[in-house]
Amino acid sequence: MNRTLTSYIYPAVEAASVAAECTAWEAPGEPVSFATALRNRFTPRSPGDAWGAPWGTTWLSIRADVPVEWRGRRTELIVELGFNDEMEGFQVEGIAYAESGEAVKALNPQSRWLPVEVGALDVAYIVEAASNPVLLPKVQDELVFAPTPLGDPATAGLRPQYVLGNSRLALVDEGARALIHDLEVLSELARSLPAESARRWEILVALEASLNVLDVHDVGATSRAARQALVAVLDQPAVGSAHILNAIGHAHIDSAWLWPLRETRRKVARTVANVLQLMDEDPDLLYAMSSAQQFAWLEEDHPDLFRRLSARFAEGRFLPVGGMWVESDVNMPSGESLVRQLVTGTRYFEEKFGDVAKVGWLPDSFGYSAALPQILKLAGYHRFITQKISWNTTNKFPHHTFWWEGIDGSRVLTHFPSADMYNSNVTVADVAHAASNFADKGWVNRSVLPFGFGDGGGGPTREMMERAARMRDLEGSARVEVSSPVKFFDQVEQEFADPQVWLGEMYLEFHRGIYTSQARTKCGNRRVEQLFREAELWATQARVRADQDYPFHALERLWQEVLVLQFHDVLPGTSIAWVHNEAEQTYARVESELVSIVESSLVALSGPGPGASIANASPFARSGVSGHSISTPVVRDGAVSAHSSDGLVILDNGVVRVAIAEDGTVVELTDLQRSRRVISNGDRGNLLRIYRDVPTKWDAWDIDAGYRATGLDVDSVVSARIEERGSRCAFVVDRAFGSSTASQEIVVTAGSAQVDFTTRVDWHERDRLLKVEFPLALSTERWAAETQFGHTYRTTHTNTSWDTAKFEACAHRWVHVGEPGYGVAVINDRTYGHSVRRVGSRDSGGIRTSVELSLVRGPRYPDPKADQGAHTFRYAVHVGADIEDAVRAGYEFTDSAREVSGGTPVPALAEFRGRGVVIDTVKMADDRSGDFIVRAYESLGARQEVQFSVSVDADAVYDVDLLENRICADLDLTQSLTFSPFQIRTFRVELSDAERNFEGG
Ligand SMILES: [Zn+2]
């Protein structure tokens, strides 16, 4: 069968062909517009010509005359750019324009044709071809993760990447093409059925009959009869219990990855052009596209395609999904970042399309934080589709359709496509796997099948639609219905009364390096998240109290730039050098713009004149300055001493005592107030350890479990000294290891229960992981890690395979470990990767809990220079801390307290009295009404009664959703408010007319 297809029937589709003429112009450097390209001189090109520097763009003019005898028959222009058959996407691509400049269709390895109007005398297209280099080659079906200079334009060189093939005008035999789909579907179906199945034999007999009437030397004349022989088996309807696949056209286009952001803009345009072309031909096609940013790029770059897309939206065929600005990572972004992902994306969809059905859509992000269900729901997303957890290497997730419940008890109806993929080709094998793999059989019998080539592969194809049509109602196969995700969920809600519940995070048992790779990108993210909080806080204060314009436009633009960089291959550190270099530049620019918003707001607020006030951007009081307010600080009492004793350096402030050994590690940390040793018994804290870190695949993504066996202490000392700095005492030790150096600083501050550490590393290691560890004298089965608007627990032991698999996990600003009545928090300013383990035993030095922060790696793929150079990591150990202390210390460690010159005190705009409720965000309302917004959350995981107050004259205060729409009646602030555990509440404060004097800018 395969031989007959390959040798005779596939070639018969092109009944005849004539060569096309090709001329070209190679654009120097970055892409140019259609109009610019056409102003240049195109020169002749021939098959066999090498073309295309890495990341270059070549404009081709391709034309052919239609032979007289073909007029009135179907022809296609086949353009051979030099495609690699092995991969869809990840290589050369093109988009074809009519001579008028209108984008018509893309050229992709699996879709190399351009339409020719029946009856035309000739055909001509202008093709914008992108010679994107192959960075992830496939050899014998295996991906090859080899370091390559091609990911950075500075090192990519100029060597042509592709060779032009024989572009031609082809006369198409549609009968042969249809026969191929019949034969492929039936032969694959027969293969998928058990040998004893009668249906299998029925199909095999029909296939034999079909091939018997087909003359392989004259497919054109005999294909009709060959198809006729298959009609009966193709018409045999599916059995009543057949699984139903709600298939939806899709293309997973990574917003940046093995290509820069600018190329994604073009990938989106090419894919959408294909989709619209296919929609014109096939009325059954529905297409789901995520990422508002990708729509916005298209709107800007190709208004013609965007108009056509909007018309298809109006017909219910082109479906925006997801509602996020990009398909973000959802482990590392802050709570407010995830809010803005959803709000910014959803507002865009509402503005451009009106009423868009809300379905959460994150098929490819690397694990899903337990805070996400609540955030999704508060933005109006009650339904969620993902898939990535099928990549787990240890445990198989038990459900495909289930309630996913977050830390606060919010549930979203969640579905994993049981095909274990988001880019099916709608092969019989994919369909059969989706049906057999489905975990919730008996309760419900349908799943979603997203199909289409992603990442520049071109999206759904006519071949996929043909196969889907044949499997719509076919005995032996699941039923394939092209339909929308919304229809899928509507049906599931009717059919599945009581889905099982999965509580907490959906941890991806894979890709554990993503919390650490490209440390500078992560640092940029954490830093700007903190600055957004600060800039919006002070700009709101300045608007409300000093009538200063609120920088709506600037903040919106800056948020959009940062939201893009939270994409699930950028913030995780898994993109090429080009992407990360750009990200670092963007963060630096955003940071300086945010700082100037902060500074101008503070000048407006605190007024001129002398004074040494502090603007405290943390929601918690510090140095006597209340949270979110400006006033004069109270100088902290107490002193710190540093002295040497028995070969140890002792730093002591009466609250904590730190003993530092000659090797510069902390051999004793004592909480003097509670007379408790936190590090002792021969353990060493602040110990740097370096590990071999050579994952078998997916370098930047993975830390393989075996790394643990390869650790070496970094404890040799180059020099060491004590530095006394007013109310602080520091011990500084300089180290050298491998090709790198490190300087570690241990600081004790007067009156503080927190020991601060700064580790500066000049990192020149590859395939190495640097961690810092604190073996804490605490026995606990679990540890808490800060996540968005709350925290989540993981175990310190390895009882089950699920526990064992979480050997590296994400935390935001802090982790907390404790015994009843006593705990310790470890705080950080930019680190996400942590491992927390139970070590030792009662019989050998006692049980300890080792808290380890992963500081830096040096993966070589896809960026061979990842992480090289200087990094500064700050972290701290806070003794005698409960969760409340950890939350406060996390804000204090990262949020600025700025000195301001003016002397005018400024109270917080809003505050809660009582325990546990934290105001995370204060901002002006997006609708520019002059109202301001306060977003708060319960931070301890407990039910709280609190008193809410605002310090300005307000007409009304009420709850809103994340889109800032009212969801309750006016609140009576003389009454206390209730927060449930980890509840997020957003309040809108309407100012009285007296307060609302000016319109914002
Ligand atoms: Zn992806």
Side-chain angles (χ1 to χ4, degrees), residues 195-246:
E196 66 276 18
S197 145
R199 174 65 171 161
R200 174 185 168 120
W201 291 98
E202 194 176 85
I203 294 169
L204 291 174
V205 168
L207 286 170
E208 188 168 359
S210 172
L211 294 187
N212 283 343
V213 297
L214 183 77
D215 179 353
V216 292
H217 302 295
D218 193 359
V219 173
T222 54
S223 63
R224 179 189 291 266
R227 293 196 68 201
Q228 198 56 41
L230 301 171
V231 166
V233 283
L234 280 169
D235 280 352
Q236 194 68 31
V239 297
S241 61
H243 188 73
I244 300 162
L245 285 166
N246 289 84

Side-chain angles (χ1 to χ4, degrees), residues 405-478:
E405 183 173 316
I407 48 174
D408 70 308
S410 293
R411 288 180 182 178
V412 287
L413 187 57
T414 298
H415 177 68
F416 292 179
S418 56
D420 291 342
M421 59 171 77
Y422 44 74
N423 50 0
S424 169
N425 293 353
V426 204
T427 59
V428 173
D430 287 358
V431 168
H433 176 68
S436 68
N437 187 44
F438 186 67
D440 303 284
K441 287 188 194 93
W443 302 103
V444 67
N445 197 22
R446 64 173 69 241
S447 54
V448 170
L449 183 73
F451 66 94
F453 296 116
D455 283 338
T461 63
R462 58 190 180 189
E463 289 78 13
M464 296 172 194
M465 290 300 287
E466 291 290 341
R467 289 192 287 269
R470 282 161 181 75
M471 286 184 277
R472 191 171 313 177
D473 189 11
L474 180 66
E475 192 194 336
S477 169

Side-chain angles (χ1 to χ4, degrees), residues 700-777:
W701 290 257
D702 284 357
I703 293 175
D704 287 359
Y707 87 92
R708 174 68 65 191
T710 66
L712 295 171
D713 296 346
V714 178
D715 57 1
S716 66
V717 177
V718 173
S719 65
R721 60 199 173 275
I722 296 170
E723 293 179 4
E724 308 216 10
R725 307 168 184 166
S727 62
R728 321 186 97 201
C729 259
F731 176 85
V732 184
V733 56
D734 298 323
R735 307 183 185 282
F737 58 99
S739 312
S740 307
T741 56
S743 169
Q744 291 190 280
E745 192 174 294
I746 305 166
V747 179
V748 172
T749 305
S752 175
Q754 182 172 303
V755 183
D756 294 341
F757 301 87
T758 301
T759 294
R760 295 183 179 83
V761 185
D762 191 18
W763 180 250
H764 297 282
E765 309 302 316
R766 304 274 164 79
D767 303 324
R768 294 275 189 278
L769 166 63
L770 184 70
K771 290 187 157 217
V772 64
E773 66 179 48
F774 291 94
L776 302 174

